[in-house]
Amino acid sequence: MTELFEPVGDHDWRIATGASGLLATYNAAGVLTASDVHVAQRLGVLGGEDDERVLLAVALAVRAVRRGSVCLDLDTVAATAPELDRPDRDEWVPAIEASPLVAAGALRWELGLLYLDRYHRLETQVHDDLEARLAQAPPDVDQARLEAALARVEAGHFSDEQRAAVVAALRRRTTILTGGPGTGKTTTVARLLTLLADQAGGRLAIALAAPTGKAATRLQEAVASELAEVSRSWPEAPGLVGRLDGLTLHRLLGWRPDNATRFRHDRGNRLKYDVVVVDESSMVELTMMGRLLEALRPDCRLVLVGDPRQLTSVGAGAALSDLVAGFDARPDSPVSALSTNFRSEQDIKSLAEALRTGDADTVLDVLCTPSDQVSWVDTSDETEVEAALRPESLAAARAVWAAATAEAPGRALEELDRHRLLCAHRDGPYGVRRWNQRIERWLGEDPDVDLHGPGGGQWYVGRPLLVTSNDYALDVYNGETGVVVRQGARRRIFVAGSGRLKEFAPGRLDAVETMHAMTIHKSQGSQADRVTVLLPDEGSRLLTLELFYTAVTRARHHVRVVGSEAAVRAAVATRAQRATGLRLRLSGRNTGATDRG
């Protein structure tokens, strides 16, 4: 029954027609959208339920999914709307349990959590598939061959914890490799692939996947670079590993444009690969995790790589952090955590570590300490924010424009990764729309820059682009970046792809947007030499620790934070909250809880 209803956006704040009682109260207060109310009303009619307490719970469950949760934790309703009356839990729970909607299977009450049926099935499927993979007999390992191979891959940076992670992964069908930036996750993956190929005699089909095209490209290039490093002590290693396919998860699973909810690969048509590595796994929503697990052959090696402290997926669920927390106390845990940071940017590492621990005073101490790697502009004044953002943003835009005008697409794309302005919001005074327009205006006002001559207009030379959806016909993918470049008397778009530049005529790419600034969510899976983080005011609903941490860790060499002390403290004090039961299922506990990072 609930398959008819999909979560909607936050924009629909109309008063729902025909709503009464608790539904009307929560709708009028802006807690529930009209669509939330209509779904609850429709389910009530179809299922013969008219108890306003149950219908309120249904509407709140729809709202929860829309905002990223898998289910509704009744204990969070008080924090959601502290000023509104709500049913007493001792009466609310029995009403839900006795509902004909639960009896019919449209709703599920389990673990002290309320699910729409679809998301209950997804969560239990992910749990069951993971448990089935862990229950398999471990793969055979030739110990003598392993010891000989380990001695050959330990050239360069290869710590004891990386070595332990590789050895453990060799004996598992499923591995979850976690760690912050600079902890050597890709180094570990490259050596793991080399050892797996050595154990198999070089006969492995390997897929390197990620949620976005940019992240998939970065993973493929990084693994290839690490294999080149291994080849210094083991010249045959790259050939032993062989071909590496860098793919988005959608492409890996065979996205079907005629049926966006299903893929070509599923339980009836498994993937051909012997090893599947998924980078940036924190971005993988519950639905995609379910589709991935059901498409794997039972004997396929799965390696999930990511940082559970980053922002969770845009869709419902917090799969990676659930897996890490759920397996935490289990003796058969497939999680290997890397903690040693090999990067030289000590101050960025210190800031990231302070954010990981949630220590606002230490975060502010790092921000206040003069450094070549970390800086802070403590302001929320609009004029001061503009003065802080203009010099570097304009210089970065000019550098891209100069390379694009000089007909140098490779250099233009390199310049695009020199600096990145990251915003929490899309709209409003702290949003990317405003700052994209503002930087375009500054660039157009520069006397040395001509955006209005031949090749001007929407597709002006030097326009930086972000691809916002997958286009398999054109071989461009969500998250990839590009630049409009002069080519003689023409303008061409060059998009950075895996190992090559992809060239298009302007207008062929429909799903693109200007990228002088980008949202922090969109920045996941990418990095830049220098990053400027524009924090919204302290009252922003998007301002969380995970958001701040993700933004800071996009920087390779320098991060600058622009925002007030109140905004910094609010970000550190606020954890993203997603109700989910997956970690409880994996850990064997039987009470409800909300994911708080």
Side-chain angles (χ1 to χ4, degrees), residues 6-17:
E6 295 292 331
V8 297
D10 275 333
H11 62 281
D12 183 11
W13 293 113
R14 294 172 294 129
I15 300 298
T17 58

Side-chain angles (χ1 to χ4, degrees), residues 75-353:
D75 291 337
T76 65
V77 175
T80 299
E83 73 284 0
L84 299 180
D85 291 335
R86 57 193 175 278
D88 183 88
R89 183 184 175 90
D90 291 339
E91 297 178 355
W92 206 357
V93 171
I96 292 171
E97 291 176 326
S99 172
L101 294 176
V102 172
L107 299 180
R108 300 296 184 110
W109 176 259
E110 188 180 358
L111 303 174
L113 302 166
L114 181 65
Y115 294 82
L116 301 176
D117 177 59
R118 173 187 176 185
Y119 292 94
H120 180 269
R121 285 187 282 113
L122 272 171
E123 186 175 277
T124 54
Q125 179 232 311
V126 168
H127 167 264
D128 293 348
D129 283 346
L130 285 168
E131 292 291 2
R133 292 184 63 81
L134 266 62
Q136 294 181 80
D140 294 330
V141 174
D142 184 328
Q143 190 62 35
R145 190 178 186 109
L146 171 60
E147 292 297 333
L150 277 170
R152 305 180 75 180
V153 301
E154 291 182 346
H157 292 298
F158 196 61
S159 65
D160 288 343
E161 68 178 3
Q162 288 175 303
R163 187 182 194 276
V166 165
V167 171
L170 282 166
R171 294 182 167 87
R172 299 170 180 157
R173 301 288 181 195
T174 302
T175 294
I176 302 167
L177 182 66
T178 69
T183 53
K185 297 188 294 294
T186 307
T187 298
T188 304
V189 167
R191 282 154 177 78
L192 171 61
L193 295 178
T194 304
L195 296 177
L196 286 172
D198 180 60
Q199 289 281 321
R203 297 182 299 274
L204 293 178
I206 300 170
L208 303 178
T212 68
K214 183 74 171 181
T217 297
R218 195 163 71 100
L219 174 63
Q220 183 175 355
E221 293 173 347
V223 170
S225 176
E226 287 296 336
L227 287 174
E229 180 71 21
V230 174
S231 70
R232 296 185 181 184
S233 56
W234 192 348
E236 300 82 10
L240 187 67
V241 173
R243 174 180 170 180
L244 296 171
D245 293 333
L247 306 164
T248 64
L249 281 170
H250 278 80
R251 192 177 185 191
L252 171 72
L253 296 175
W255 179 77
R256 294 166 51 184
D258 61 318
N259 187 346
T261 63
R262 301 301 301 176
F263 297 90
R264 284 193 295 274
H265 294 289
D266 54 22
R267 294 191 200 281
N269 181 26
R270 306 274 189 167
L271 290 165
K272 65 180 180 180
Y273 294 102
D274 302 300
V275 183
V276 172
V277 179
V278 181
D279 198 14
E280 299 292 346
S281 293
S282 64
M283 299 168 63
V284 180
E285 63 188 56
L286 185 67
T287 299
M288 183 60 75
M289 186 65 73
R291 300 293 78 82
L292 172 65
L293 290 170
E294 71 177 9
L296 299 175
R297 300 198 320 265
D299 61 342
C300 174
R301 307 265 193 158
L302 173 63
V303 183
L304 299 174
V305 184
D307 185 347
R309 295 180 178 88
Q310 284 190 24
L311 281 167
T312 51
S313 60
V314 174
L320 181 64
S321 59
D322 275 351
L323 267 56
V324 172
F327 285 125
D328 182 51
R330 288 178 49 164
D332 62 343
S333 172
V335 178
S336 292
L338 304 178
S339 58
T340 303
N341 196 313
F342 296 102
R343 290 184 182 168
S344 59
E345 291 78 7
Q346 181 59 49
D347 294 333
I348 296 178
K349 291 190 290 188
S350 298
L351 180 57
E353 181 58 31

Side-chain angles (χ1 to χ4, degrees), residues 431-451:
V432 294
R433 294 187 193 278
R434 175 182 183 179
W435 293 104
N436 273 323
Q437 293 170 358
R438 192 64 55 90
I439 294 167
E440 281 185 338
R441 192 190 78 193
W442 294 337
L443 190 61
E445 292 170 349
D446 191 310
D448 297 324
V449 174
D450 181 12
L451 298 183

